[in-house]
């Protein structure tokens, strides 16, 4: 069974809009929650990550919101741009543990 | 990431054949990983290695084996390929000495098709 559940599977947003991707996890031992961005033909690349001791982390137009009690976290992309069109994966792991569990991915399309 | 290279980039093989996928890195990282990516399933860890003498099974190791020939090289073998091993395979590296988040750096992937 998938330990990290991601939704939606695909998302279409207009340029300038807000893209929101949600993830939920089950293992309360997870303490590291990264988001990876993958462009076609490329490997995933780390976009932003959060530890559960904070509820929000922002880097430019990208924000992670984290709700420890609900075991949920989400990625918000503000002012979405066509160049943001990619597949996004959430993930979770125990720090220093190499067994990282990924969500199924969300294909984001930002229309100009 | 050009620092992590995978060969071949594409491979078509037949059921029952042995195949090896290779990964090399110039990042100087100590940890290396093999994942497979399937539509709707995300990435799943096959094997990982802390160093040349340390190999560990991941979530889905059955049907696969690995070899860490050197710190910079990590290969994945399918001893007898079957069609449900058709997938996109990624190698990744990390090093806790360089990143407290254990950030993983992925190669460009190998698309494997087993007929």
């Amino acid at each position: 069974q998938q330990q990290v559940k991601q939704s939606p599977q695909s998302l279409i947003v207009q340029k300038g809009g807000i893209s929101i991707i949600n993830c939920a996890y089950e293992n309360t031992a997870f303490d590291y929650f990264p988001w990876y961005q993958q462009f076609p033909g490329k490997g995933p690349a780390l976009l932003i990550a959060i530890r559960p001791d904070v509820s929000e982390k922002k880097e430019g137009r990208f924000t992670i919101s984290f709700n420890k009690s609900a075991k949920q976290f989400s990625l918000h992309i503000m002012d979405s741009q066509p160049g943001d069109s990619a597949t996004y994966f959430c993930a979770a792991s125990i720090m220093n543990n190499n067994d990282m569990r990924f969500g199924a991915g969300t294909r984001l399309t930002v229309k100009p | 990431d050009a620092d992590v290279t995978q060969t071949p980039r594409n491979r078509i093989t037949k059921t029952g054949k042995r195949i090896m996928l290779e990964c090399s890195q110039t990042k100087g990282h100590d940890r290396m990983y093999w994942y497979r990516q399937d539509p709707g399933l995300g990435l799943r860890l096959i094997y990982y290695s802390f160093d040349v003498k340390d190999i560990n099974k991941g979530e889905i190791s059955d049907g696969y084996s690995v070899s860490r020939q050197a710190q910079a090289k990590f290969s994945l073998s399918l001893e007898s390929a079957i069609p449900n091993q058709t997938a996109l395979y990624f190698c990744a590296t990390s090093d806790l000495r360089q990143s407290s988040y254990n950030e993983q750096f992925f190669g460009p992937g190998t698309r494997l098709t087993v007929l």
Side-chain angles (χ1 to χ4, degrees):
Chain A
Q1 84 237 29
Q2 209 148 18
Q3 293 195 27
V4 180
K5 295 182 179 180
Q6 182 172 347
S7 62
Q9 188 173 5
S10 63
L11 180 63
I12 299 175
V13 174
Q14 293 293 324
K15 179 182 176 181
I18 302 173
S19 303
I20 302 174
I21 304 171
N22 301 299
C23 284
Y25 64 96
E26 298 179 1
N27 187 347
T28 55
F30 287 145
D31 60 359
Y32 171 56
F33 303 90
W35 284 89
Y36 281 80
Q37 179 188 54
Q38 183 181 27
F39 293 106
K42 303 290 186 181
L46 180 65
L47 181 64
I48 187 172
I50 196 169
R51 297 289 303 277
D53 51 349
V54 296
S55 60
E56 186 176 282
K57 182 173 182 180
K58 184 176 181 180
E59 291 185 359
R61 296 183 295 109
F62 301 91
T63 300
I64 300 178
S65 296
F66 185 82
N67 186 329
K68 188 173 182 178
S69 61
K71 294 187 289 185
Q72 295 176 347
F73 59 110
S74 60
L75 176 69
H76 296 238
I77 306 175
M78 311 299 289
D79 187 25
S80 299
Q81 299 296 311
D84 296 331
S85 296
T87 299
Y88 292 81
F89 293 96
C90 62
S93 73
I94 301 169
M95 270 297 287
N96 303 334
N97 183 319
N98 294 276
D99 193 359
M100 187 175 295
R101 300 299 174 115
F102 285 82
T106 296
R107 178 173 290 183
L108 171 66
T109 302
V110 181
K111 289 188 175 288
Chain B
D1 192 319
D3 297 324
V4 183
T5 57
Q6 293 183 232
T7 56
R9 293 294 313 278
N10 289 282
R11 181 70 183 268
I12 300 174
T13 191
K14 295 182 178 180
T15 297
K17 294 291 187 180
R18 184 180 188 276
I19 184 167
M20 179 181 288
L21 308 182
E22 299 187 345
C23 177
S24 295
Q25 55 117 345
T26 58
K27 300 182 79 66
H29 287 174
D30 57 357
R31 301 182 182 195
M32 297 187 74
Y33 311 78
W34 275 105
Y35 289 90
R36 66 177 280 175
Q37 183 178 358
D38 298 277
L41 294 177
L43 292 105
R44 291 179 293 168
L45 183 63
I46 305 172
Y47 271 95
Y48 61 98
S49 170
F50 288 160
D51 61 37
V52 175
K53 299 178 181 178
D54 190 310
I55 304 290
N56 303 278
K57 292 182 178 180
E59 184 184 357
I60 53 161
S61 60
D62 288 349
Y64 302 95
S65 62
V66 292
S67 175
R68 185 85 181 264
Q69 301 96 324
Q71 187 192 32
K73 296 185 182 295
F74 194 35
S75 60
L76 175 71
S77 294
L78 288 68
E79 296 302 324
S80 180
I82 55 177
N84 77 359
Q85 291 177 313
T86 294
L88 191 54
Y89 289 84
F90 286 101
C91 174
T93 72
S94 73
D95 195 322
L96 279 180
R97 298 168 299 178
Q98 299 183 27
S99 168
S100 60
Y101 277 107
N102 197 28
E103 177 182 355
Q104 296 188 17
F105 295 83
F106 286 80
T110 294
R111 185 168 295 281
L112 176 65
T113 302
V114 183
L115 301 176

